[in-house]
Amino acid sequence: MKIIVPVKRVIDAYVTVRVKADQTGVETANVKMSMNPFCEIAVEEAIRLKEAGKADEVIAVTAGPAQCQETLRAAMAMGADRAILIQTDDELQPLAVAKLLKAVVDKENPEIVMLGKQAIDGDHNQTGQMLSALLGWGVAAFASKIECGDDNVTVTREIDGGLETLKLKLPAVITTDLRLNEPRYASLPNIMKAKKKQLDTMTPDELGVDIAPRFKTLKVTEPPERQAGIMVDSVSDLVEKLRNEAKVI
Amino acid sequence: MSVLVIAEHDNSSIKPSTLPTITAARALDSDVHVLVAGAGSDEAASAAGKIHGISKVLHCDDAAYEHGLAENMGQLIAKIAPDYSHILAPASFFGKNILPRAAALVDVQQISDVSAIEGADTFVRPIYAGNGFETVQISDTPKMLTIRTTGFDPVKSEGGSAPVENIDSADDTGLTEFVSRELTKSERPELTAADIIISGGRGLASGENFEKLIEPIADKLSAAIGASRAAVDAGYVPNDYQVGQTGKIVAPNLYIAVGISGAIQHLAGMKDSKVIVAINKDEEAPIFQISDYGLVGDLFEILPELDKALSA
Ligand SMILES: Cc1cc2nc3c(=O)[nH]c(=O)nc-3n(C[C@H](O)[C@H](O)[C@H](O)COP(=O)(O)OP(=O)(O)OC[C@H]3O[C@@H](n4cnc5c(N)ncnc54)[C@H](O)[C@@H]3O)c2cc1C
Ligand SMILES: Nc1ncnc2c1ncn2[C@@H]1O[C@H](COP(=O)(O)O)[C@@H](O)[C@H]1O
C-alpha cells in the first residue's frame, strides 16, 4: 500500500505573527518556517503504518516555492521514502492545491492520502475534503485513531459532541487531528540519509492544472486589541466585581 | 437569488450553531432557505420551520443523511447549489467537514470561518489563529461560506412559520459506512452556546480535580465546562471540551480561565468573550494580558473559596 502525505511549509507555530503595516499580509522576512504541525502528525501516522507493515511506501508532496524542499527533506528525515515538489511561486488557494494533489494522485495511485486537517497559516481546513471530492473517494476528516484493514480503513474522528467512527472503502482521504499521535524528532543520521532520498520536481503547468486564485485578499488587518483589565486581590473582590461591575453573574 | 443555510441538527432538534449562521445569511439577502437533510428528521424540519426570519425549509429525508456523512451531504448540496447565490454552514466540525466537499464538486473556492460580511462578495476571516484578519473578495458562484458563529447574534428559534418543502435525495455514494458515535453526555449547556464558561488547563493536574473543583462552580453558574489542549491531551476531560484554534470557538458573556497559561492557540478560541477572568499562580502568565479581572494565586485554594462565595 502506498500513502501520499501532502505537507505544507508555514510560519512556525510558536512564532508571534505580526501583520504588516501596509496591510498587505503578515511579516515573513527572517521568520522561522516549519512543517505545519498537522502535516507532521500525518507524516508520523503514515510512517507508523509502514512500520506496522500495513504500508510499503510513503511519499511526501508539497506545492509551493523552491524553499519547500526543506519541508520535504524534513518529512523524509522522519521516514518518508521519497518526495515530490510541485514548484510555483504563485499564490495557492485550497481548491488549487486539491487539484494539484489530484493530478499527483492520478499518477501515483496511492491507497491513502493523509493530510493535516488544517494549515495554521490560512486556517482554511478545506484541502483534504476538497481532494476527496475531486477524486470521488471517501473522506474521514479530523482523525484521532486509524486502523487499516485490507480494503478498508476504520477511522475515529473528532466531532462537535465527541467522537465518531467511520469505515471507509480504500482508496480514501484522511485528515489528521492533534490527538492522533505525537510526531517523532528526526535523528541526525536520518537527517543525513534524507538528503540522498529521491525528490522530484514538477510544475502546475506540467500537471495541467489551473491554479489561478479564486479570491483576492483586499487587506490584512490586526485583530481588535484587547486591553488588560485589573488585578483583584481576593475571591470576594472578584465575585463583587462580577456581580456589581461587570454584571455577568 | 436566495441564500441557503445548511442546518446542523440531530434529526430531532436544530443545533444552536445554525441560528447565527442564519443571521449571517440574512445580512446577504432577506430570502433565506434552510436545508434539513437527515433520516427520521421530521421533528428537526418542523423545528427549522419555526426559526425566525427564514422563508422556506428544504427537507430531504433519506437514510443516506442520517449521520451527516460528508460524501452524501456534499452530493446533495452540490445538486441544489445552482439555485443559490450563497450557501452557508456553521464553521463547526460539522460544517467544516461537509461544505468543502460540496464546494469542490461545484468548482468553488470556499471561504472558511467568516467573521464579518462586508458585501455580497466581500468577507472578513481570521488567519494565523486570529493574529490577523483578512478581507477577501470572491467571484465564484455560488459563494460558499462557513460562518464563525461567535461573529453573529443568533436569530430567534421560535416565532417563524416557514413552509417545509420535501426535496429528492441525491442518493448514497456508498463510499463510507457509519460505525458508531460516542457523544459526551452532559446536562450542561453546549460550549458554543453557553453564557458562562469555566475552563481548566494543565494547572488542574487531574480529571478528579475538574470534578471536585470546577464542576461545583459550573453548577452554580449554570456554566459550560471547557479546557485547554494540555488538559485534554492529559486525559483530564474529553476532546470536545477543547477551546482554541483547533477546538471550539466561543464568546460567552463570562469566560473563567483556571490554570491556563494563555497560549495564542487557546486565546484564538476565547478572545472574543465579553468578560474574561483569569486565575493563575504565575503573575506573568500571558492570559492576564487579555483578562478583565485577574487573580494571582493557587487554584486549589481559590476554587473552593470561589465556590463558597457563590453560594453566599
Ligand atoms: C497547531 C497547534 C494547535 C493548538 N491548538 C490548541 C487549541 O485549540 N487549544 C488550546 O488550548 N491549545 C492549543 N494548542 C496548544 C497550546 O500551544 C498550549 O500548549 C496549550 O494551550 C497549553 O495549555 P495550558 O495553558 O493548560 O498549559 P500550560 O501552558 O502548561 O499552562 C498551565 C498554567 O497553569 C498554571 N498553574 C499550574 N498550577 C497552578 C495552580 N496550582 N494554581 C494556579 N495556576 C496554576 C501555570 O502557571 C500555567 O500558567 C495548540 C498547539 C499547536 C501547536
Ligand atoms: N501547498 C500545499 N502543499 C501540500 N499540501 C498542502 C498545501 N496546502 C495545504 N496542504 C495540505 O492540506 C492540509 C489542510 O490545509 P488547509 O486546507 O489549507 O487548511 C494541510 O495540512 C496539508 O496537508
Side-chain angles (χ1 to χ4, degrees):
Chain A
M1 176 159 91
K2 204 192 255 190
I3 304 180
I4 285 191
V5 187
V7 296
K8 190 174 190 194
R9 180 174 182 265
V10 298
I11 295 181
D12 187 86
Y14 296 100
V15 168
T16 308
V17 174
R18 299 201 192 283
V19 171
K20 282 195 210 164
D22 67 1
Q23 302 196 332
T24 54
V26 303
E27 289 294 351
T28 49
N30 302 316
V31 166
K32 183 179 178 204
M33 304 293 287
S34 298
M35 191 190 304
N36 178 42
F38 293 99
C39 301
E40 276 185 333
I41 294 170
V43 173
E44 175 67 33
E45 194 66 16
I47 296 167
R48 287 188 192 182
L49 287 172
K50 189 180 166 192
E51 287 167 349
K54 302 278 185 192
D56 35 51
E57 191 179 26
V58 176
I59 309 167
V61 179
T62 196
Q67 295 90 312
C68 294
Q69 287 186 17
E70 279 169 34
T71 317
L72 294 173
R73 294 287 171 204
M76 290 190 286
M78 285 175 74
D81 297 289
R82 59 186 172 95
I84 298 171
L85 170 64
I86 308 163
Q87 194 170 336
T88 172
D89 290 326
D90 293 346
E91 180 191 349
L92 291 171
Q93 293 172 357
L95 182 60
V97 175
K99 289 181 179 176
L100 291 170
L101 294 174
K102 176 179 188 294
V104 172
V105 168
D106 287 344
K107 282 177 188 272
E108 296 281 351
N109 297 308
E111 276 75 28
I112 293 179
V113 184
M114 185 115 62
L115 307 88
K117 81 161 176 182
Q118 175 174 349
I120 60 164
D121 47 5
D123 283 334
H124 293 293
N125 197 330
Q126 297 181 12
T127 308
Q129 297 88 313
M130 287 188 149
L131 175 63
S132 77
L134 300 178
L135 291 167
W137 296 3
V139 62
F142 328 139
S144 62
K145 190 169 159 215
I146 297 173
E147 276 169 274
C148 248
D150 289 336
D151 59 354
N152 62 67
V153 57
T154 302
V155 180
T156 302
R157 50 186 298 269
E158 305 208 349
I159 58 170
D160 291 290
L163 296 169
E164 173 180 277
T165 303
L166 302 176
K167 191 167 167 185
L168 286 79
K169 284 187 186 145
L170 292 176
V173 173
I174 300 173
T175 81
T176 59
D177 216 317
L178 288 171
R179 271 165 287 278
L180 183 58
N181 62 47
E182 222 169 295
R184 70 195 65 190
Y185 289 100
S187 67
L188 199 56
N190 285 343
I191 293 173
M192 300 311 290
K193 255 197 265 167
K195 293 189 173 153
K196 298 199 192 73
K197 288 185 179 173
Q198 182 185 342
L199 194 163
D200 297 314
T201 301
M202 46 193 80
T203 64
D205 266 352
E206 284 163 13
L207 291 170
V209 175
D210 173 11
I211 57 166
R214 300 296 188 85
F215 64 78
K216 199 163 70 190
T217 302
L218 304 179
K219 62 176 178 188
V220 175
T221 54
E222 302 242 15
E225 188 81 35
R226 195 172 174 118
Q227 297 295 338
I230 57 165
M231 301 303 284
V232 294
D233 298 326
S234 64
V235 167
S236 53
D237 197 10
L238 175 65
V239 172
E240 194 274 322
K241 292 252 168 15
L242 292 178
R243 282 201 174 123
N244 303 320
E245 191 176 274
K247 298 191 168 54
V248 285
I249 58 170
Chain B
M1 264 207 250
S2 328
V3 175
L4 180 68
V5 169
I6 316 300
E8 181 168 2
H9 65 87
D10 60 6
N11 290 315
S12 53
S13 64
I14 301 292
K15 292 280 170 74
S17 59
T18 310
L19 304 176
T21 310
I22 291 172
T23 305
R26 287 179 52 80
L28 291 161
D29 195 297
S30 57
D31 190 24
V32 176
H33 299 178
V34 171
L35 172 68
V36 176
S41 54
D42 288 354
E43 242 182 288
S46 62
K50 298 200 184 82
I51 297 174
H52 183 81
I54 64 168
S55 50
K56 184 154 80 175
V57 175
L58 301 184
H59 185 203
C60 189
D61 200 78
D62 186 305
Y65 308 113
E66 181 172 4
H67 305 291
L69 296 179
E71 298 84 348
N72 296 342
M73 291 294 293
Q75 200 92 339
L76 178 65
I77 296 166
K79 188 173 130 188
I80 56 182
D83 297 338
Y84 293 95
S85 63
H86 298 75
I87 300 180
L88 281 59
S92 56
F93 281 57
F94 164 78
K96 288 175 178 179
N97 183 35
I98 62 166
L99 204 62
R101 175 110 185 173
L105 290 175
V106 292
D107 196 31
V108 160
Q109 173 58 59
Q110 176 191 297
I111 309 293
S112 298
D113 267 315
V114 170
S115 60
I117 291 175
E118 303 226 311
D121 62 356
T122 309
F123 310 102
V124 181
R125 58 180 303 272
I127 52 174
Y128 292 95
N131 276 311
F133 279 82
E134 64 176 2
T135 305
V136 299
Q137 189 174 40
I138 175 129
S139 49
D140 289 356
T141 356
K143 304 190 191 327
M144 292 198 166
L145 321 172
T146 61
I147 299 297
R148 177 163 277 223
T149 54
T150 54
F152 302 86
D153 291 328
V155 288
K156 291 200 187 70
S157 59
E158 298 282 341
S161 57
V164 177
E165 182 185 309
N166 291 314
I167 61 166
D168 288 341
S169 165
D171 299 330
D172 194 336
T173 56
L175 292 166
T176 297
E177 183 191 323
F178 173 86
V179 178
S180 64
R181 188 172 286 174
E182 255 177 77
L183 297 179
T184 312
K185 285 196 192 65
S186 168
E187 301 296 310
R188 292 178 209 288
E190 233 178 274
L191 258 184
T192 48
D195 272 336
I196 301 181
I197 296 174
I198 176 163
S199 284
R202 201 196 309 268
L204 261 295
S206 74
E208 292 84 73
N209 289 333
F210 262 85
E211 281 171 36
K212 215 169 66 199
L213 301 170
I214 299 275
E215 284 190 14
I217 297 176
D219 288 341
K220 294 212 170 70
L221 296 173
S222 306
I225 297 179
S228 71
R229 176 187 168 196
V232 173
D233 279 357
Y236 305 165
V237 288
N239 68 281
D240 58 308
Y241 282 41
Q242 183 177 318
V243 171
Q245 181 186 17
T246 51
K248 301 257 163 70
I249 309 293
V250 301
N253 278 326
L254 173 61
Y255 188 91
I256 307 176
V258 186
I260 292 179
S261 60
I264 181 73
Q265 294 89 359
H266 187 78
L267 303 190
M270 45 67 77
K271 228 173 23 178
D272 293 333
S273 306
K274 212 164 123 226
V275 174
I276 298 175
V277 170
I279 298 171
N280 198 302
K281 68 175 180 190
D282 174 11
E283 60 182 325
E284 304 285 315
I287 189 85
F288 288 127
Q289 288 163 21
I290 59 128
S291 62
D292 299 282
Y293 300 107
L295 181 54
V296 177
D298 187 344
L299 67 90
F300 294 100
E301 288 163 21
I302 290 175
L303 290 180
E305 251 187 81
L306 180 59
D307 182 40
K308 230 195 265 156
L310 291 172
S311 329

